Coordinates of all heavy atoms in Angstrom, one line a residue:
M1 N 0.8 -1.2 0.0 CA 0.0 0.0 0.0 C 0.9 1.2 0.0 O 1.8 1.3 0.7 CB -0.9 0.0 1.2 CG -1.8 1.2 1.3 SD -2.9 0.7 2.5 CE -3.8 1.7 3.2
A2 N 0.6 2.2 -0.9 CA 1.4 3.4 -1.0 C 1.1 4.4 0.2 O 0.0 4.4 0.7 CB 1.0 4.1 -2.3
R3 N 2.1 5.1 0.5 CA 1.9 6.1 1.6 C 1.2 7.3 1.0 O 1.4 7.7 -0.1 CB 3.3 6.6 2.1 CG 4.0 5.5 2.9 CD 5.2 6.1 3.5 NE 6.2 5.1 3.7 CZ 7.4 5.3 4.0 NH1 7.8 6.5 4.2 NH2 8.2 4.3 4.2
E4 N 0.4 7.9 1.8 CA -0.3 9.2 1.4 C 0.6 10.3 1.8 O 1.1 10.4 2.9 CB -1.7 9.3 2.1 CG -2.7 8.3 1.6 CD -4.0 8.5 2.2 OE1 -4.4 9.6 2.5 OE2 -4.7 7.4 2.4
K5 N 0.7 11.3 0.9 CA 1.4 12.5 1.2 C 0.4 13.6 1.5 O -0.5 13.9 0.7 CB 2.3 12.9 0.0 CG 3.4 11.9 -0.2 CD 4.4 12.4 -1.2 CE 5.5 11.4 -1.3 NZ 6.5 11.8 -2.3
N6 N 0.6 14.2 2.6 CA -0.4 15.3 3.0 C 0.3 16.7 3.0 O -0.2 17.6 3.6 CB -0.9 15.1 4.5 CG -1.7 13.8 4.6 OD1 -2.4 13.5 3.6 ND2 -1.6 13.1 5.7
N7 N 1.4 16.8 2.2 CA 2.1 18.1 2.1 C 1.8 18.8 0.8 O 2.6 19.5 0.3 CB 3.6 17.9 2.3 CG 4.1 17.0 1.3 OD1 3.4 16.4 0.4 ND2 5.5 16.8 1.3
Q8 N 0.6 18.7 0.3 CA 0.3 19.3 -0.9 C 0.3 20.9 -0.9 O 0.6 21.5 -1.9 CB -1.1 18.9 -1.4 CG -1.1 17.4 -1.8 CD -2.4 16.7 -1.3 OE1 -3.1 17.3 -0.5 NE2 -2.6 15.5 -1.7
N9 N 0.1 21.5 0.3 CA 0.2 22.9 0.4 C 1.5 23.5 0.8 O 1.7 24.7 0.8 CB -0.9 23.4 1.4 CG -2.3 23.1 1.0 OD1 -2.5 23.1 -0.2 ND2 -3.1 22.8 1.9
L10 N 2.5 22.6 1.0 CA 3.8 23.0 1.4 C 4.6 23.5 0.1 O 4.4 23.0 -0.9 CB 4.6 21.9 2.1 CG 4.1 21.4 3.4 CD1 4.9 20.3 3.9 CD2 4.1 22.6 4.4
P11 N 5.5 24.5 0.3 CA 6.3 25.0 -0.9 C 7.3 23.9 -1.3 O 7.6 23.0 -0.5 CB 6.9 26.2 -0.4 CG 7.0 26.1 1.1 CD 5.7 25.3 1.5
L12 N 7.8 24.0 -2.5 CA 8.8 23.1 -3.0 C 10.0 23.3 -2.1 O 10.2 24.2 -1.4 CB 9.2 23.4 -4.4 CG 8.1 23.2 -5.4 CD1 8.5 23.7 -6.8 CD2 7.7 21.8 -5.5
N13 N 10.9 22.3 -2.1 CA 12.1 22.3 -1.3 C 13.1 23.3 -1.8 O 14.2 22.9 -2.3 CB 12.7 20.9 -1.2 CG 13.7 20.7 -0.1 OD1 13.8 21.6 0.7 ND2 14.4 19.7 -0.2
A14 N 12.8 24.6 -1.7 CA 13.7 25.6 -2.1 C 14.9 25.7 -1.2 O 14.7 25.5 0.0 CB 12.9 26.9 -2.2
P15 N 16.1 26.0 -1.7 CA 17.2 26.1 -0.9 C 17.2 27.3 0.1 O 16.5 28.3 -0.2 CB 18.4 26.3 -1.9 CG 17.8 26.8 -3.1 CD 16.4 26.3 -3.1
D16 N 17.8 27.1 1.2 CA 17.9 28.2 2.2 C 19.0 29.3 1.7 O 18.8 30.4 2.0 CB 18.3 27.7 3.6 CG 17.2 26.9 4.1 OD1 16.0 27.4 4.3 OD2 17.4 25.7 4.4
Y17 N 20.0 28.8 1.1 CA 21.1 29.6 0.6 C 21.5 29.1 -0.8 O 21.4 28.0 -1.1 CB 22.3 29.6 1.5 CG 22.1 30.2 2.8 CD1 21.8 29.4 3.9 CD2 22.3 31.5 3.0 CE1 21.6 29.9 5.2 CE2 22.1 32.1 4.3 CZ 21.7 31.3 5.3 OH 21.5 31.8 6.6
L18 N 22.0 30.1 -1.6 CA 22.6 29.7 -2.9 C 24.1 29.8 -2.7 O 24.6 30.7 -2.0 CB 22.2 30.7 -4.0 CG 20.7 30.6 -4.4 CD1 20.4 31.6 -5.4 CD2 20.3 29.2 -4.8
A19 N 24.9 28.9 -3.3 CA 26.3 28.9 -3.2 C 26.9 29.6 -4.5 O 26.5 29.2 -5.6 CB 26.8 27.5 -3.1
W20 N 27.8 30.5 -4.3 CA 28.4 31.3 -5.4 C 29.9 31.1 -5.3 O 30.5 31.2 -4.2 CB 28.1 32.8 -5.3 CG 26.6 33.1 -5.3 CD1 25.7 33.1 -4.3 CD2 25.8 33.3 -6.5 NE1 24.4 33.4 -4.8 CE2 24.5 33.5 -6.1 CE3 26.2 33.4 -7.9 CZ2 23.5 33.8 -7.1 CZ3 25.2 33.7 -8.8 CH2 23.9 33.9 -8.4
H21 N 30.5 30.9 -6.5 CA 32.0 30.9 -6.6 C 32.4 32.4 -7.0 O 31.9 32.9 -8.0 CB 32.4 29.9 -7.6 CG 33.9 30.0 -8.0 ND1 34.3 30.2 -9.2 CD2 35.0 29.9 -7.2 CE1 35.7 30.2 -9.2 NE2 36.1 30.1 -8.0
V22 N 33.2 33.0 -6.2 CA 33.6 34.4 -6.4 C 35.1 34.4 -6.7 O 35.9 33.9 -5.9 CB 33.3 35.2 -5.2 CG1 33.6 36.7 -5.4 CG2 31.8 35.1 -4.8
T23 N 35.4 35.1 -7.8 CA 36.8 35.3 -8.1 C 37.0 36.8 -8.3 O 36.1 37.5 -8.7 CB 37.3 34.6 -9.4 OG1 36.4 35.0 -10.5 CG2 37.3 33.1 -9.2
Q24 N 38.2 37.3 -7.9 CA 38.5 38.7 -8.0 C 39.6 38.9 -9.1 O 40.6 38.2 -9.1 CB 39.1 39.1 -6.6 CG 39.2 40.6 -6.4 CD 37.8 41.2 -6.0 OE1 37.0 40.5 -5.4 NE2 37.6 42.4 -6.4
K25 N 39.3 39.9 -10.0 CA 40.2 40.3 -11.0 C 40.3 41.8 -10.9 O 39.5 42.5 -11.4 CB 39.8 39.8 -12.4 CG 39.9 38.3 -12.5 CD 39.6 37.9 -13.9 CE 39.7 36.4 -14.0 NZ 39.3 35.8 -15.3
G26 N 41.4 42.3 -10.3 CA 41.5 43.7 -10.0 C 40.5 44.2 -9.1 O 40.3 43.6 -8.0
D27 N 39.7 45.2 -9.5 CA 38.7 45.7 -8.6 C 37.3 45.1 -8.9 O 36.3 45.4 -8.3 CB 38.5 47.2 -8.9 CG 39.7 48.0 -8.4 OD1 40.4 47.5 -7.5 OD2 39.9 49.1 -8.9
K28 N 37.3 44.1 -9.8 CA 36.0 43.5 -10.3 C 35.9 42.1 -9.7 O 36.8 41.3 -9.7 CB 36.0 43.4 -11.8 CG 34.7 43.0 -12.4 CD 34.1 44.2 -13.0 CE 32.9 43.6 -13.8 NZ 31.8 44.6 -13.7
A29 N 34.7 41.8 -9.1 CA 34.4 40.4 -8.6 C 33.4 39.8 -9.5 O 32.5 40.4 -10.0 CB 33.8 40.6 -7.2
Y30 N 33.7 38.5 -9.9 CA 32.9 37.7 -10.7 C 32.2 36.6 -9.9 O 32.9 35.8 -9.2 CB 33.7 37.1 -11.9 CG 34.3 38.1 -12.8 CD1 35.5 38.7 -12.5 CD2 33.5 38.6 -13.9 CE1 36.0 39.7 -13.4 CE2 34.0 39.6 -14.7 CZ 35.3 40.1 -14.5 OH 35.8 41.1 -15.3
W31 N 30.9 36.6 -10.0 CA 30.1 35.6 -9.2 C 29.4 34.6 -10.2 O 28.8 35.0 -11.1 CB 28.9 36.3 -8.5 CG 29.4 37.3 -7.4 CD1 30.2 38.3 -7.5 CD2 29.1 37.2 -6.0 NE1 30.4 38.9 -6.3 CE2 29.7 38.2 -5.3 CE3 28.3 36.3 -5.3 CZ2 29.6 38.4 -4.0 CZ3 28.2 36.5 -3.9 CH2 28.8 37.5 -3.3
N32 N 29.6 33.3 -9.9 CA 29.0 32.2 -10.7 C 28.3 31.3 -9.7 O 28.9 30.8 -8.8 CB 30.1 31.5 -11.5 CG 30.7 32.4 -12.5 OD1 30.0 32.8 -13.5 ND2 32.0 32.7 -12.4
K33 N 27.1 31.0 -9.9 CA 26.3 30.1 -9.1 C 26.8 28.7 -9.3 O 26.9 28.2 -10.4 CB 24.8 30.2 -9.3 CG 24.0 29.4 -8.3 CD 22.5 29.7 -8.4 CE 22.0 29.9 -9.7 NZ 20.5 29.9 -9.8
V34 N 27.2 28.0 -8.1 CA 27.7 26.7 -8.2 C 26.9 25.7 -7.4 O 27.2 24.5 -7.4 CB 29.2 26.7 -7.7 CG1 30.1 27.5 -8.7 CG2 29.4 27.1 -6.3
G35 N 25.9 26.1 -6.7 CA 25.2 25.1 -5.9 C 24.2 25.8 -4.9 O 23.8 27.0 -5.1
A36 N 23.8 25.0 -3.9 CA 22.8 25.5 -3.0 C 23.0 24.8 -1.6 O 23.6 23.7 -1.6 CB 21.4 25.3 -3.5
A37 N 22.3 25.3 -0.6 CA 22.4 24.7 0.8 C 21.0 24.7 1.4 O 20.2 25.6 1.2 CB 23.4 25.5 1.7
W38 N 20.7 23.6 2.1 CA 19.5 23.4 2.8 C 19.7 23.1 4.2 O 20.6 22.4 4.6 CB 18.7 22.2 2.2 CG 18.2 22.4 0.8 CD1 17.0 22.8 0.4 CD2 18.9 22.2 -0.4 NE1 16.9 22.9 -0.9 CE2 18.0 22.5 -1.5 CE3 20.2 21.8 -0.7 CZ2 18.4 22.4 -2.8 CZ3 20.6 21.7 -2.1 CH2 19.7 22.0 -3.1
K39 N 18.9 23.7 5.1 CA 19.0 23.5 6.5 C 18.5 22.1 6.9 O 17.5 21.7 6.3 CB 18.1 24.6 7.3 CG 18.3 24.6 8.8 CD 17.4 25.6 9.4 CE 17.9 27.0 9.0 NZ 17.2 28.0 9.8
H40 N 19.2 21.5 7.8 CA 18.7 20.2 8.3 C 17.4 20.4 9.2 O 17.2 21.4 9.7 CB 19.8 19.6 9.2 CG 21.0 19.2 8.4 ND1 22.1 18.7 9.1 CD2 21.3 19.2 7.1 CE1 23.1 18.4 8.2 NE2 22.6 18.7 7.0
K41 N 16.7 19.3 9.2 CA 15.4 19.4 10.0 C 15.6 19.7 11.5 O 14.8 20.4 12.1 CB 14.7 18.0 9.9 CG 14.1 17.8 8.5 CD 13.3 16.5 8.5 CE 12.8 16.3 7.1 NZ 12.1 15.0 6.9
D42 N 16.8 19.2 12.0 CA 17.0 19.6 13.4 C 17.7 20.9 13.6 O 18.0 21.4 14.7 CB 17.9 18.5 14.1 CG 19.3 18.4 13.5 OD1 19.7 19.3 12.6 OD2 20.1 17.5 13.9
E43 N 17.9 21.7 12.5 CA 18.4 23.0 12.5 C 19.8 23.2 13.1 O 20.2 24.2 13.6 CB 17.4 24.0 13.1 CG 16.1 24.1 12.4 CD 15.2 25.1 13.0 OE1 15.5 25.8 13.9 OE2 14.1 25.3 12.4
R44 N 20.6 22.1 13.0 CA 21.9 22.1 13.6 C 23.0 22.0 12.5 O 24.2 21.8 12.8 CB 22.1 21.0 14.6 CG 21.2 21.1 15.8 CD 21.3 20.0 16.8 NE 22.7 19.8 17.2 CZ 23.2 19.9 18.4 NH1 22.4 20.2 19.4 NH2 24.5 19.8 18.6
G45 N 22.6 22.1 11.3 CA 23.6 22.1 10.2 C 22.9 22.3 8.8 O 21.7 22.5 8.7
Y46 N 23.7 22.2 7.8 CA 23.2 22.4 6.4 C 23.8 21.4 5.5 O 24.9 20.9 5.8 CB 23.7 23.8 5.9 CG 23.0 25.0 6.5 CD1 23.4 25.5 7.7 CD2 21.8 25.5 5.9 CE1 22.7 26.6 8.3 CE2 21.2 26.5 6.5 CZ 21.6 27.1 7.7 OH 20.9 28.1 8.2
T47 N 23.1 21.0 4.5 CA 23.6 20.2 3.4 C 24.0 21.1 2.3 O 23.1 21.9 1.8 CB 22.6 19.2 3.0 OG1 22.4 18.3 4.1 CG2 23.1 18.4 1.8
L48 N 25.2 21.1 1.8 CA 25.7 21.9 0.7 C 25.8 21.0 -0.5 O 26.6 20.0 -0.5 CB 27.0 22.5 1.0 CG 27.7 23.3 -0.1 CD1 26.9 24.5 -0.5 CD2 29.1 23.8 0.4
Q49 N 25.1 21.3 -1.6 CA 25.2 20.5 -2.8 C 25.8 21.4 -3.9 O 25.3 22.4 -4.2 CB 23.8 20.1 -3.3 CG 23.8 19.3 -4.6 CD 22.5 18.7 -4.9 OE1 21.6 18.6 -4.1 NE2 22.3 18.4 -6.2
L50 N 27.0 21.0 -4.4 CA 27.7 21.7 -5.4 C 27.5 21.1 -6.7 O 27.6 19.9 -6.9 CB 29.2 21.9 -5.1 CG 29.5 22.6 -3.8 CD1 31.0 22.5 -3.5 CD2 29.1 24.1 -3.9
E51 N 27.2 21.9 -7.8 CA 27.1 21.4 -9.1 C 28.5 21.3 -9.8 O 28.7 20.6 -10.7 CB 26.2 22.3 -10.0 CG 24.8 22.4 -9.4 CD 24.1 21.0 -9.4 OE1 24.3 20.2 -10.3 OE2 23.3 20.8 -8.4
T52 N 29.4 22.1 -9.3 CA 30.8 22.1 -9.7 C 31.7 22.4 -8.5 O 31.2 23.0 -7.6 CB 31.0 23.2 -10.9 OG1 32.3 23.1 -11.4 CG2 30.7 24.5 -10.4
C53 N 32.9 22.1 -8.6 CA 33.8 22.3 -7.5 C 35.0 23.2 -7.9 O 35.9 22.7 -8.5 CB 34.3 21.0 -6.9 SG 35.2 21.1 -5.4
P54 N 34.9 24.5 -7.6 CA 36.0 25.4 -8.0 C 37.3 25.1 -7.3 O 37.3 24.6 -6.1 CB 35.4 26.8 -7.6 CG 34.1 26.6 -7.0 CD 33.8 25.1 -6.9
I55 N 38.4 25.4 -8.0 CA 39.7 25.1 -7.4 C 40.4 26.4 -6.9 O 41.4 26.4 -6.3 CB 40.6 24.4 -8.3 CG1 40.8 25.1 -9.6 CG2 40.1 23.0 -8.6 CD1 41.9 24.6 -10.5
N56 N 39.8 27.5 -7.2 CA 40.4 28.8 -6.7 C 39.2 29.7 -6.3 O 38.1 29.4 -6.5 CB 41.2 29.5 -7.9 CG 40.4 29.8 -9.1 OD1 39.2 29.4 -9.2 ND2 40.9 30.6 -10.0
G57 N 39.6 30.9 -5.8 CA 38.5 31.8 -5.4 C 37.9 31.4 -4.1 O 38.5 30.7 -3.3
R58 N 36.7 31.8 -3.8 CA 36.0 31.5 -2.6 C 34.6 31.1 -2.9 O 34.0 31.5 -3.9 CB 36.1 32.6 -1.6 CG 35.4 33.9 -2.1 CD 35.7 35.1 -1.1 NE 34.9 36.2 -1.4 CZ 35.3 37.2 -2.3 NH1 36.4 37.1 -2.9 NH2 34.5 38.2 -2.5
I59 N 33.9 30.4 -2.0 CA 32.5 30.1 -2.1 C 31.8 30.9 -1.0 O 32.1 30.9 0.1 CB 32.3 28.6 -1.9 CG1 32.9 27.8 -3.0 CG2 30.8 28.3 -1.8 CD1 32.8 26.3 -2.9
V60 N 30.7 31.6 -1.5 CA 29.9 32.5 -0.6 C 28.5 31.9 -0.6 O 28.0 31.6 -1.7 CB 30.0 33.9 -1.2 CG1 29.1 34.8 -0.4 CG2 31.4 34.5 -1.2
L61 N 27.9 31.8 0.5 CA 26.5 31.4 0.7 C 25.7 32.7 0.9 O 26.0 33.5 1.8 CB 26.3 30.4 1.8 CG 27.0 29.1 1.7 CD1 26.8 28.3 3.0 CD2 26.5 28.4 0.5
R62 N 24.7 32.9 0.1 CA 23.8 34.0 0.2 C 22.3 33.6 0.1 O 22.0 32.6 -0.5 CB 24.0 35.0 -1.0 CG 25.4 35.5 -1.1 CD 25.7 36.7 -0.2 NE 24.8 37.7 -0.5 CZ 24.7 38.9 0.1 NH1 25.5 39.1 1.1 NH2 23.9 39.8 -0.2
L63 N 21.5 34.4 0.8 CA 20.0 34.1 0.7 C 19.6 34.3 -0.7 O 20.0 35.3 -1.4 CB 19.3 35.1 1.6 CG 19.5 34.9 3.1 CD1 18.8 36.0 3.9 CD2 18.9 33.5 3.6
P64 N 18.7 33.5 -1.2 CA 18.2 33.7 -2.6 C 17.3 34.9 -2.6 O 16.6 35.2 -1.7 CB 17.3 32.4 -2.8 CG 17.5 31.5 -1.7 CD 18.2 32.2 -0.6
L65 N 17.4 35.6 -3.7 CA 16.5 36.8 -4.0 C 15.3 36.3 -4.6 O 15.3 35.6 -5.6 CB 17.2 37.8 -4.9 CG 18.5 38.4 -4.3 CD1 19.2 39.3 -5.4 CD2 18.3 39.1 -3.1
E66 N 14.1 36.7 -4.0 CA 12.8 36.1 -4.5 C 12.5 36.7 -5.9 O 11.8 36.0 -6.6 CB 11.7 36.5 -3.5 CG 11.9 35.7 -2.2 CD 10.8 36.1 -1.2 OE1 9.8 36.6 -1.6 OE2 11.0 35.8 0.0
D67 N 12.9 37.9 -6.2 CA 12.5 38.5 -7.5 C 13.5 38.4 -8.5 O 13.3 38.8 -9.6 CB 12.1 40.0 -7.3 CG 13.3 40.8 -6.7 OD1 14.2 40.2 -6.2 OD2 13.2 42.0 -6.8
A68 N 14.7 37.7 -8.3 CA 15.7 37.6 -9.2 C 15.5 36.4 -10.1 O 15.1 35.4 -9.7 CB 17.1 37.5 -8.5
P69 N 15.8 36.6 -11.4 CA 15.7 35.4 -12.3 C 16.8 34.4 -12.0 O 17.8 34.8 -11.5 CB 15.8 36.0 -13.7 CG 16.5 37.3 -13.5 CD 16.2 37.8 -12.1
D70 N 16.6 33.2 -12.4 CA 17.5 32.1 -12.1 C 18.5 32.1 -13.2 O 18.3 31.5 -14.3 CB 16.8 30.8 -12.0 CG 17.8 29.7 -11.6 OD1 18.9 30.0 -11.1 OD2 17.4 28.5 -11.8
A71 N 19.7 32.8 -13.1 CA 20.7 32.9 -14.1 C 21.8 31.9 -13.8 O 22.2 31.7 -12.7 CB 21.2 34.3 -14.2
A72 N 22.3 31.2 -14.8 CA 23.4 30.3 -14.6 C 24.7 31.0 -14.4 O 25.6 30.4 -13.7 CB 23.5 29.3 -15.9
N73 N 24.8 32.2 -14.9 CA 26.1 32.9 -14.8 C 25.8 34.3 -14.5 O 25.3 35.1 -15.3 CB 26.9 32.8 -16.0 CG 28.3 33.4 -15.9 OD1 28.5 34.2 -15.0 ND2 29.2 33.1 -16.8
D74 N 26.1 34.8 -13.3 CA 25.9 36.2 -12.9 C 27.2 36.9 -12.8 O 27.5 37.5 -11.8 CB 25.2 36.2 -11.5 CG 23.7 35.9 -11.6 OD1 23.2 35.9 -12.8 OD2 23.1 35.6 -10.6
A75 N 27.9 36.9 -13.9 CA 29.2 37.6 -13.9 C 29.1 39.1 -13.6 O 28.1 39.7 -14.1 CB 29.9 37.4 -15.3
G76 N 29.9 39.6 -12.8 CA 29.9 41.0 -12.5 C 29.1 41.4 -11.2 O 29.1 42.5 -10.8
R77 N 28.4 40.4 -10.6 CA 27.7 40.7 -9.4 C 28.6 41.0 -8.3 O 29.6 40.4 -8.1 CB 26.9 39.4 -9.0 CG 26.1 39.6 -7.8 CD 25.3 38.4 -7.4 NE 24.7 38.6 -6.1 CZ 24.0 37.7 -5.5 NH1 23.7 36.6 -6.0 NH2 23.5 38.0 -4.3
S78 N 28.3 42.1 -7.6 CA 29.2 42.5 -6.5 C 28.5 42.9 -5.3 O 27.3 43.0 -5.3 CB 30.2 43.5 -6.9 OG 29.5 44.6 -7.5

């Protein structure tokens, strides 16, 4: 017998944070989205899922912007 799901009114499992790879070239910072992070149910940690693993620069976690389009490459974001 299949389990019934009663979460029809719950929002999709949207990430709590987006992961960005940031590199600096002179005074310009280049931001590329590389993954996302979700809070654990016990609220004592996060799961970070990366679509790519950068070897230089830094990874920054930021809250998603609700009105921003989902761009694969946000070069020049600062």
Side-chain angles (χ1 to χ4, degrees):
M1 182 167 164
R3 291 186 207 171
E4 291 183 32
K5 293 187 178 182
N6 295 328
N7 59 356
Q8 290 139 350
N9 295 329
L10 294 177
L12 295 176
N13 192 13
D16 294 300
Y17 292 96
L18 296 178
W20 299 88
H21 171 235
V22 183
T23 54
Q24 194 78 31
K25 292 187 180 177
D27 292 337
K28 190 107 172 142
Y30 295 90
W31 292 62
N32 294 294
K33 189 166 39 169
V34 295
W38 291 264
K39 187 182 294 189
H40 292 175
K41 288 181 182 179
D42 66 3
E43 299 186 0
R44 294 179 55 119
Y46 288 86
T47 294
L48 176 62
Q49 180 176 336
L50 296 175
E51 301 298 324
T52 184
C53 191
I55 58 171
N56 63 348
R58 63 188 188 270
I59 295 177
V60 176
L61 297 177
R62 300 281 299 180
L63 291 171
L65 298 175
E66 293 180 19
D67 59 344
D70 186 20
N73 183 346
D74 285 344
R77 178 181 173 179
S78 53

